[in-house]
Amino acid sequence: MDNNLEKIQVQLQKDIDLPYDELKTKYISTNGLLTLAMKAIASIPNDQKAAYGKGINQLKNSVTELLDQKKNQSLIYSPNNRIDPTAPFDVNTPKNDRPQVWDIKGTKHPLHKEVEKLVEIFQRMGFDVMESKQMDDDYHMFESLNFPVGHPARDMYDTFWTEDGFVLPAHTSTMQNRALKQSNPPIRVVLPGRVFRHEATDASHGHTFYQMEGIYVDKGISLANMKATIKTFLEAYLETDLEVRIQPSFFPFTEPDCEFVISCPFCNKTGCSTCGHSGWIELMGCGMIHPNVLTQGGIDPEIYSGFAWGFGVDRLTMIKLAINDIRYLRDSNLNFLRQF
Amino acid sequence: MKISVNLLKQLGKIDKSNEEIVTGIKEHIGEVESYQDLSKDYSDIMVAEIKEKKDHPDADKLGVYQLDTGEKKLVQVLAGDKTLVVGDKVAYLKPGAKVPYTIYTEEKPFIIQSREMRGLLSDGMMGSEKELNLGNDHTIVMRLPDDAPVGKPFAEYYELDDFIIDVENKALTNRGDLFGILGLARELTVIFGKPFVTPAWYTDDTKNLREEQSCLGLNIINDAEALCPRYTAIAMDNIVVEESPLWLKSALIKFGYKPINNIVDITNYISQLSGQPLHAFDYDKVISNDPNKSETANITIRMARAGESILGLDSKVHELNDRIMVICDSTNPLAIAGIMGGSETEVDNNTQRIILESANFDKTSIRKTSMMLGLTTDAGTKFKHALDPNQCIPVLKEAVRMIKESTTGTISSDIVDLYPTISEPKEITLSLSNVNTHLGIDLQKDTIVQILKNLEYPIVKQDDDLLTVLAPTWRKDVTIKEDIHEDIGRIYGYNNIDSILPLRNLIPAKDNQIFALKKKIRQIFADSGANETDTHSFTDIPTLEKANLDADKAYKLKNALAPELSLMRTSLIPSLLVKTQMNLQEGYDKFILFEMNIPHIQGYEDENKLPKEDWHLSSVITSIEKRSDSAYYIAKRYLEKILSTLNIQDIEYTLLSEFSEENLSEEIKNSMYMFDRNTSAIVTAGDIVLGIIGEIDNKVKGNFKLPKYTAGLDININALNSIDIKNNKYTEMPKYPESRVDLCVEVNNDIQYKALYDSIYKDINNDDINGKVTCLDIYKESEKADTKRITFSLAIRNFEKTLNDKDIKSITQKVIKRLESNFQAKII
């Protein structure tokens, strides 16, 4: 190795304890040792250039490595003293530097903003609010909802289980039994919450999303009431008149079981990308609560009847805010969050 | 479930357009996944015959063919397949025709054009099985039967001028009867307002088939009666296995099956038609493979034994266990019951004698086996939706009829029928007024009765309001009266039901305090420059460990999607640290992230033995600016912003390193190591521990590459909600001017600000006077100094008068005296 380079290498060993800023100045500033050595390559005889270049590279690596190490260390802060946690600010903090609320753009998460709006509408309509659990048992997730053990409909829900045998709810219906038991009819409750599905993630599917369940139980409650209640709510939320359709579907916890379909509020049924050019959007599952579910909830199905529905809040939010990838909702990128 | 509209119309005598049928299914039965108009897919494709064949002068690999397409002039087509000979019949795709395969696989279908290939014009194309969407072979041009009429549209000849509807299986989950086209035809006929008449063969349960020739021994034992309610079989001889006729192949292709041979194809066809899976065993193979040599085929239905395995028709070995039902010879499994046959007894081109099985298996057992073996087959899918055991014999007989029609087959055994408990139709009584109330409609009795009759519900009894019917045994889903309400509503049409809002009383809805509190906090934080996030509940060991958390306290998922999603998080803070790091890299240098969600700590359970679910407000505050003060104070500032807005007072902050651990909740014990002990505090309100705020631990900051000025805040919202918020009553506002006094106090470092503040506050607030205390400065001469100086500003008023200098002096003296005696304070 070139003499000069060797000298610098030796010097570097001696400087190993220098703080980051000093090291940086000494070696890689415009007049730094390494910078100068690199410039010197012009004056090296051609037959030695290759060897010199190699030496320079080695040296450069050592310097960079040391600098990186120092930089990480400088991130680590060790307070010498205990602070006084009861004080409004730290000792010797200049007057204009004392902690204040920051003047930057704060935001609510778009999804929670929508949950709040949805809940407010239902509260105005006279519904209670009960939030869903995020870890539950088989009874609430399946059995109380008329999914006996071995029922094929259990396959419809790709459910996560913990090693202790708890289930991560795949739908907010996991709260139905609790909502039914909580009080005597009339029961009007909406049940928003985070749910989990064991499925691969892409732009329109997440393993985690929000759902909002609702139930209405009283004497003489009918499918016609269900149709009107959901329609009224959606018109209030989407701030437009809608045409609605009900299609048959299957859920073990309702009888009849339906799919609620609305005319696309964005294109007036002429077809757009939101409705997949069909003019209609399938928005949620719903139906009349199965008598077995009422019975499990301590309610006599011979006296009372009721309806229930559940929809995905993520999808509704995405439709409303024209968000094209469900993953953005959980990515927490400020470029995204500060748009709302 | 794929259905052919042609077949549907034939069975149901439905006189409706394809569009009407699709809409009918959607509105009255269930979701339609897709539909395709085959005749359109195959337009401009004709049957053609090869009239001349030549080699290409400039391309070894191309053959030059002249085709008779039914037009006057022969058409020249070039092809890579040089094995074609004059006289072969082929499917000719005219220029302008779409290649059927590409219609569903490409964004835009490939359209045939006339083009030059090495100097010669190719005026169209001859399709391979794959290109015609009729099979997988794409190496050679598909040959059509010799009698194919030249010039006939290919779709018409192949019976592909059909409309295929794919009904979503999920929508039929409880309708085993709709996994056969017969069931769907019944529903659709009724939807379009006509009664359906099930074909006579389907209900003919008499075992009237007699041996015709060469009696074959067939001995069947059912050792799994609980899971196999019915097993029927028959032996046949003189079978000629050959290619199926065109119509059958075409029908199977339309159902999505691959044609194999006449026997297999007939069983598949009838299975799709009726929903009842059938299986054919090679009789001779059953006998010759049986280790106990016998003249008779011995068949046993039993549970498999651990260690047994079977080579399936999928050419894979399936390991069996005692929860899997199998069809066996005297010793070894021949088939996985209800799911898949075995390759050792498979019907092949040399088969002459067969055993035809038509059985009924328990849906749960089939579903579990299918899951255990990871084996999804058409038969399995049908069985797991519950089938009618009463259809076994009729379907078996129909298969025998078809086999006899298609080959020289003869019946060579009686029908064996093991059916100990006969499935009887269930009697259900419904109230007509109840039907109308439940659905919110007003149907006349006649209408309701007609709908049920059309659906083939026998009416047993009727009076003014009550109607007793029998649920057909194929309707395994109908067990209670509400199931029949659904049928009535569905057939009548949900879209004919009006929207009627329920009438409700004026009882106000209950308040959800936690939800309301979260809403307030969200508003306060968002108004204070913080950004709300919504991060995943899943995490992994490395992330928890990087945050100084004990991964053993996390619930582990049994079926995680990926290793990095294998644990339930025990705190929201690590998620926020990850996202803080990400946003720093994104170029943001000063921001606050917060989230309100539920962490889970293993073993930390509620009164119902379920994981305790308290809501947490967690936040990470960071800035890359160089500051001399501790980031603890910004976290405290933000917490106090919430507390003061909520009017919560009397909160205490205890340095983490000074809090005795035994008084800490599981939650705080878990999360405290993320915080620096000397610059963080436990926040309490009386006995209630609210949470922890302060600087993130140095090591953790290093692990997540976070700047020095990074603080965290973790508050239990349920605890916060449990604080009694005092409703302050009005106190008289002082009328006289205030007097200000500044007071600089030097005390030992270990005297806390709050102690001094409280002492002063107490002395200037009583019946006579009212005072406020603010802090002007906290000063320390050097880092190592033992004392600090705190400058307070006191603003004092008297309720009755203007205070004079003497009054102020006396009040101040009192304040000072107490500070001196209680805190050894020096007044500077």
Side-chain angles (χ1 to χ4, degrees):
Chain A
M1 194 189 253
D2 184 89
N3 259 347
N4 186 34
L5 293 183
E6 256 172 46
K7 265 189 224 158
I8 302 177
Q9 189 79 52
V10 171
Q11 186 60 42
L12 187 64
Q13 294 306 316
K14 289 183 190 158
D15 289 343
I16 213 149
D17 287 327
L18 282 183
Y20 173 77
D21 289 344
E22 274 180 50
L23 263 178
K24 208 173 144 186
T25 317
K26 189 162 180 184
Y27 287 88
I28 60 167
S29 63
T30 336
N31 289 315
L33 292 173
L34 181 67
T35 322
L36 293 177
M38 280 164 86
K39 283 180 186 161
I41 195 158
S43 60
I44 301 291
N46 273 347
D47 58 334
Q48 292 167 33
K49 266 202 171 114
Y52 188 85
K54 206 172 154 195
I56 279 280
N57 271 338
Q58 275 176 20
L59 187 61
K60 197 176 149 194
N61 287 342
S62 322
V63 172
T64 331
E65 197 181 319
L66 185 62
L67 279 172
D68 281 352
Q69 217 176 323
K70 290 277 169 185
K71 196 176 175 184
N72 286 338
Q73 275 173 16
S74 76
L75 282 172
I76 293 175
Y77 162 78
S78 63
N80 298 325
N81 288 315
R82 296 178 168 194
I83 56 157
D84 176 356
T86 67
F89 48 85
D90 210 348
V91 290
N92 298 347
T93 311
K95 202 167 177 188
N96 54 6
D97 228 9
R98 289 177 187 158
Q100 278 308 326
V101 164
W102 291 351
D103 183 16
I104 44 181
K105 185 177 179 183
T107 47
K108 298 179 187 180
H109 193 277
L111 198 72
H112 294 288
K113 229 167 148 173
E114 295 310 307
V115 171
E116 282 189 3
K117 278 186 205 157
L118 296 164
V119 165
E120 273 163 27
I121 294 170
F122 281 115
Q123 283 179 324
R124 296 205 303 265
M125 289 170 77
F127 283 76
D128 299 341
V129 188
M130 204 171 149
E131 286 187 278
S132 180
K133 292 184 83 66
Q134 296 186 5
M135 284 180 75
D136 212 343
D137 53 16
D138 186 274
Y139 175 77
H140 289 93
M141 170 66 203
F142 287 121
E143 257 186 85
S144 69
L145 292 168
N146 198 36
F147 289 82
V149 177
H151 195 289
R154 285 185 173 214
D155 294 353
M156 285 161 59
Y157 299 87
D158 302 311
T159 318
F160 287 107
W161 295 87
T162 71
E163 286 183 354
D164 325 58
F166 293 113
V167 60
L168 309 194
H171 53 189
T172 40
S173 316
T174 204
M175 296 303 290
Q176 267 198 30
N177 182 263
R178 294 183 181 92
L180 292 172
K181 278 181 179 159
Q182 197 192 223
S183 57
N184 294 322
I187 297 170
R188 290 180 288 270
V189 195
V190 283
L191 309 150
R194 182 176 257 204
V195 297
F196 306 89
R197 295 272 168 96
H198 191 275
E199 61 182 27
T201 303
D202 60 27
S204 45
H205 298 87
H207 52 69
T208 301
F209 55 97
Y210 276 78
Q211 245 191 7
M212 193 143 137
E213 187 91 356
I215 59 171
Y216 195 132
V217 178
D218 203 351
K219 281 182 188 160
I221 292 297
S222 69
L223 197 72
N225 293 154
M226 176 186 88
K227 206 169 165 180
T229 305
I230 299 177
K231 179 174 188 262
T232 305
F233 147 70
L234 285 172
E235 287 179 338
Y237 176 67
L238 296 168
E239 297 171 338
T240 179
D241 288 343
L242 296 169
E243 270 182 65
V244 304
R245 277 192 197 164
I246 290 182
Q247 292 178 358
S249 187
F250 172 72
F251 309 102
F253 41 103
T254 48
E255 191 67 49
D257 331 285
C258 315
E259 189 75 43
F260 205 86
V261 185
I262 60 166
S263 54
C264 179
F266 303 99
C267 64
N268 243 328
K269 289 205 294 176
T270 54
C272 66
S273 61
T274 306
C275 58
H277 304 281
S278 69
W280 296 89
I281 299 179
E282 269 174 44
L283 215 48
M284 64 180 90
C286 54
M288 299 300 290
I289 301 174
H290 195 285
N292 291 356
V293 175
L294 289 175
T295 308
Q296 286 287 340
I299 289 168
D300 185 348
E302 294 303 317
I303 302 174
Y304 296 102
S305 57
F307 58 84
W309 73 87
F311 60 85
V313 181
D314 296 50
R315 183 150 165 263
L316 209 56
T317 303
M318 288 170 72
I319 290 177
K320 208 175 167 185
L321 304 179
I323 297 169
N324 53 15
D325 193 325
I326 194 171
R327 288 169 289 202
Y328 297 154
L329 292 174
R330 310 246 141 47
D331 200 32
S332 312
N333 189 322
L334 283 170
N335 296 330
F336 174 81
L337 295 177
R338 287 198 180 154
Q339 291 186 22
F340 304 100
Chain B
M1 174 73 197
K2 278 191 175 174
I3 48 176
S4 128
V5 166
N6 287 354
L7 191 53
L8 210 54
K9 285 183 172 172
Q10 197 184 316
L11 286 164
K13 302 182 181 63
I14 299 159
D15 179 26
K16 295 284 168 183
S17 72
N18 294 332
E19 289 67 28
E20 283 171 310
I21 291 174
V22 169
T23 308
I25 293 176
K26 274 191 186 175
E27 294 190 346
H28 301 269
I29 300 176
E31 194 49 42
V32 167
E33 203 150 279
S34 63
Y35 47 86
Q36 72 190 95
D37 187 342
L38 286 181
S39 60
K40 278 189 192 151
D41 293 358
Y42 291 92
S43 62
D44 288 326
I45 304 179
M46 330 295 290
V47 176
E49 183 179 342
I50 294 179
K51 288 291 186 194
E52 286 172 35
K53 178 185 180 181
K54 274 193 298 193
D55 286 339
H56 192 293
D58 284 333
D60 289 347
K61 290 187 175 160
L62 290 175
V64 181
Y65 300 96
Q66 303 297 327
L67 303 186
D68 177 359
T69 64
E71 306 284 324
K72 281 177 195 157
K73 264 179 75 182
L74 294 186
V75 177
Q76 173 170 291
V77 176
L78 277 62
D81 181 357
K82 289 181 75 180
T83 61
L84 289 160
V85 295
V86 170
D88 276 350
K89 298 275 177 71
V90 297
Y92 164 65
L93 287 77
K94 280 193 204 168
K98 294 179 219 124
V99 175
Y101 177 72
T102 63
I103 296 173
Y104 303 97
T105 54
E106 307 289 326
E107 210 167 298
K108 275 188 184 155
F110 186 82
I111 296 175
I112 300 293
Q113 284 171 326
S114 297
R115 61 186 184 117
E116 262 196 18
M117 294 165 93
R118 295 253 177 164
L120 288 180
L121 188 77
S122 182
D123 210 7
M125 188 179 95
M126 294 179 284
S128 69
E129 273 185 17
K130 188 167 185 173
E131 284 154 347
L132 292 165
N133 222 5
L134 299 174
N136 293 323
D137 192 346
H138 58 93
T139 56
I140 55 163
V141 168
M142 181 179 168
R143 269 67 160 182
L144 306 184
D146 291 343
D147 57 359
V150 169
K152 192 164 187 173
F154 177 75
E156 208 179 299
Y157 171 65
Y158 231 81
E159 298 188 16
L160 292 169
D161 49 346
D162 202 346
F163 193 84
I164 305 300
I165 304 173
D166 193 357
V167 185
E168 200 179 89
N169 281 1
K170 206 170 127 180
L172 310 177
T173 301
N174 62 336
R175 294 292 302 270
D177 64 313
L178 299 188
F179 282 82
I181 293 174
L182 193 58
L184 281 163
R186 177 184 297 115
E187 289 279 319
L188 272 170
T189 309
V190 179
I191 287 163
F192 293 124
K194 287 187 202 158
F196 184 76
V197 183
T198 296
W201 65 262
Y202 182 78
T203 45
D204 180 9
D205 201 13
T206 50
K207 291 181 277 265
N208 52 358
L209 296 186
R210 289 287 164 257
E211 292 162 40
E212 296 168 337
Q213 210 183 334
S214 72
C215 167
L216 297 177
L218 183 57
N219 181 27
I220 301 176
I221 300 165
N222 188 353
D223 277 343
E225 267 176 18
L227 301 180
C228 175
R230 188 174 199 183
Y231 195 92
T232 72
I234 195 165
M236 293 186 80
D237 200 348
N238 298 314
I239 298 287
V240 179
V241 177
E242 57 190 8
E243 212 179 315
S244 292
L246 200 64
W247 74 266
L248 182 54
K249 283 205 284 189
S250 163
L252 285 171
I253 286 162
K254 288 187 279 189
F255 300 154
Y257 284 89
K258 193 179 169 212
I260 296 171
N261 58 47
N262 55 348
I263 302 302
V264 175
D265 292 353
I266 286 170
T267 58
N268 283 339
Y269 176 78
I270 296 192
S271 156
Q272 197 67 3
L273 186 70
S274 63
Q276 170 66 41
L278 292 168
H279 184 66
F281 299 92
D282 182 311
Y283 183 91
D284 295 295
K285 289 182 187 173
V286 169
I287 296 220
S288 61
N289 279 322
D290 199 326
N292 292 325
K293 294 295 170 206
S294 155
E295 292 287 296
T296 301
N298 286 303
I299 296 217
T300 305
I301 304 107
R302 63 165 168 85
M303 301 315 285
R305 302 182 182 114
E308 281 184 328
S309 64
I310 182 169
L311 180 65
L313 285 173
D314 58 354
S315 310
K316 288 183 187 144
V317 176
H318 300 280
E319 302 294 337
L320 306 172
N321 63 48
D322 61 2
R323 283 164 297 163
I324 294 174
M325 192 177 5
V326 284
I327 313 300
C328 301
D329 61 18
S330 72
T331 316
N332 296 316
L334 303 174
I336 306 166
I339 294 186
M340 186 179 272
S343 116
E344 283 181 359
T345 50
E346 182 178 4
V347 171
D348 62 29
N349 290 341
N350 303 316
T351 301
Q352 288 172 6
R353 306 195 282 186
I354 59 168
I355 301 165
L356 206 54
E357 165 204 287
S358 173
N360 188 270
F361 300 109
D362 176 72
K363 61 174 183 181
T364 309
S365 164
I366 297 296
R367 172 175 163 267
K368 282 191 176 156
T369 301
S370 160
M371 274 164 53
M372 238 180 311
L373 297 176
L375 206 54
T376 305
T377 61
D378 277 299
T381 301
K382 289 184 165 73
F383 279 123
K384 78 176 184 188
H385 290 97
L387 302 178
D388 181 8
N390 292 339
Q391 70 186 3
C392 289
I393 290 284
V395 171
L396 184 74
K397 288 198 306 187
E398 179 68 3
V400 169
R401 186 191 66 75
M402 276 186 74
I403 290 171
K404 283 183 67 174
E405 211 173 84
S406 107
T407 86
T408 53
T410 52
I411 298 165
S412 6
S413 80
D414 282 341
I415 292 178
V416 178
D417 182 17
L418 306 180
Y419 191 21
T421 314
I422 290 169
S423 171
E424 301 284 0
K426 193 170 174 170
E427 200 174 280
I428 298 172
T429 300
L430 48 149
S431 140
L432 300 173
S433 56
N434 205 215
V435 170
N436 280 328
T437 325
H438 198 209
L439 298 173
I441 49 178
D442 192 17
L443 291 187
Q444 297 303 307
K445 186 178 170 185
D446 295 350
T447 316
I448 293 176
V449 169
Q450 193 55 51
I451 288 174
L452 295 177
K453 275 186 177 165
N454 287 357
L455 280 172
E456 302 187 291
Y457 280 93
I459 311 281
V460 176
K461 212 167 73 190
Q462 49 178 313
D463 59 32
D464 284 350
D465 187 51
L466 295 180
L467 190 65
T468 303
V469 299
L470 291 179
T473 52
W474 59 73
R475 289 296 302 272
K476 288 279 164 244
D477 62 307
V478 177
T479 56
I480 54 174
K481 63 180 190 302
E482 284 79 2
D483 295 320
I484 300 178
H485 295 182
E486 179 179 66
D487 268 4
I488 296 164
R490 230 165 25 81
I491 299 299
Y492 172 67
Y494 291 144
N495 293 324
N496 296 326
I497 298 177
D498 288 336
S499 295
I500 305 165
L501 276 172
L503 296 174
R504 72 171 184 94
N505 55 31
L506 276 175
I507 299 171
K510 285 190 210 82
D511 190 23
N512 182 326
Q513 291 186 353
I514 298 278
F515 190 81
L517 181 55
K518 285 196 296 173
K519 245 168 95 171
K520 282 184 197 158
I521 293 173
R522 179 175 294 124
Q523 189 68 53
I524 298 167
F525 254 50
D527 284 348
S528 310
N531 302 101
E532 188 181 20
T533 65
D534 189 70
T535 56
H536 288 307
S537 303
F538 303 138
T539 186
D540 60 358
I541 297 176
T543 307
L544 292 182
E545 287 185 346
K546 267 165 74 183
N548 278 354
L549 291 173
D550 181 359
D552 287 342
K553 286 192 177 167
Y555 285 105
K556 289 171 193 60
L557 294 184
K558 210 165 82 181
N559 54 341
L561 276 172
E564 64 271 21
L565 307 170
S566 59
L567 301 178
M568 294 298 283
R569 60 179 166 180
T570 57
S571 161
L572 316 183
I573 299 269
S575 313
L576 294 174
L577 294 174
V578 170
K579 298 301 181 187
T580 299
Q581 182 188 359
M582 184 192 87
N583 280 300
L584 282 163
Q585 279 166 0
E586 197 65 37
Y588 289 93
D589 49 19
K590 183 178 178 182
F591 57 90
I592 302 155
L593 298 180
F594 77 101
E595 177 166 354
M596 287 182 281
N597 219 318
I598 301 172
H600 296 88
I601 296 172
Q602 181 158 40
Y604 190 43
E605 294 178 349
D606 65 12
E607 62 279 8
N608 299 315
K609 299 276 173 223
L610 284 171
K612 192 164 167 56
E613 297 203 327
D614 278 355
W615 286 94
H616 277 241
L617 161 68
S618 298
S619 177
V620 170
I621 306 170
T622 197
S623 168
I624 61 165
E625 65 188 324
K626 282 195 175 140
R627 293 183 62 104
S628 58
D629 63 333
S630 166
Y632 165 81
Y633 293 98
I634 191 72
K636 182 169 185 250
R637 181 71 195 83
Y638 270 88
L639 177 60
E640 287 190 333
K641 176 87 191 170
I642 294 176
L643 297 175
S644 64
T645 313
L646 298 175
N647 209 14
I648 295 176
Q649 288 151 6
D650 301 326
I651 295 294
E652 278 169 52
Y653 301 88
T654 312
L655 203 65
L656 189 53
S657 56
E658 287 167 5
F659 208 95
S660 74
E661 238 186 80
E662 61 208 66
N663 294 332
L664 289 174
S665 66
E666 285 297 318
E667 278 181 352
I668 304 257
K669 269 190 215 163
N670 173 62
S671 57
M672 59 190 279
Y673 298 102
M674 285 188 291
F675 292 84
D676 181 85
R677 288 167 64 75
N678 291 324
T679 53
S680 297
I682 302 286
V683 186
T684 50
D687 293 340
I688 304 167
V689 178
L690 293 181
I692 184 166
I693 63 169
E695 280 190 35
I696 297 297
D697 176 80
N698 285 330
K699 204 180 106 211
V700 175
K701 274 192 285 200
N703 289 342
F704 289 94
K705 297 198 171 58
L706 301 176
K708 173 178 146 183
Y709 195 76
T710 301
L713 174 155
D714 187 20
I715 297 296
N716 184 314
I717 295 174
N718 292 65
L720 191 64
N721 185 56
S722 67
I723 299 176
D724 267 335
I725 297 171
K726 287 179 198 112
N727 269 325
N728 288 343
K729 292 242 170 66
Y730 168 70
T731 50
E732 194 69 29
M733 289 180 282
K735 296 184 190 76
Y736 297 92
E738 66 175 22
S739 305
R740 282 181 178 271
V741 184
D742 288 355
L743 206 60
C744 180
V745 187
E746 181 170 307
V747 290
N748 242 325
N749 274 335
D750 54 6
I751 303 293
Q752 289 195 326
Y753 168 87
K754 177 107 189 326
L756 302 172
Y757 175 96
D758 287 347
S759 166
I760 299 169
Y761 187 87
K762 217 175 136 195
D763 282 336
I764 60 171
N765 282 284
N766 53 41
D767 289 347
D768 301 325
I769 54 171
N770 160 282
K772 288 183 204 137
V773 188
T774 47
C775 179
L776 296 181
D777 193 30
I778 306 175
Y779 170 74
K780 224 169 133 179
E781 201 156 23
S782 72
E783 249 180 38
K784 286 175 187 156
D786 295 328
T787 59
K788 60 186 170 188
R789 287 176 188 178
I790 304 179
T791 310
F792 291 101
S793 171
L794 284 55
I796 311 163
R797 295 162 187 251
N798 189 295
F799 289 108
E800 305 293 334
K801 60 174 189 177
T802 304
L803 290 167
N804 61 29
D805 288 357
K806 209 181 129 197
D807 298 328
I808 293 291
K809 202 170 176 193
S810 124
I811 296 166
T812 318
Q813 280 310 321
K814 201 173 142 197
V815 168
I816 292 173
K817 231 179 174 174
R818 200 190 299 271
L819 291 175
E820 283 173 340
S821 70
N822 285 359
F823 306 103
Q824 288 75 48
K826 267 201 285 183
I827 307 305
I828 305 294

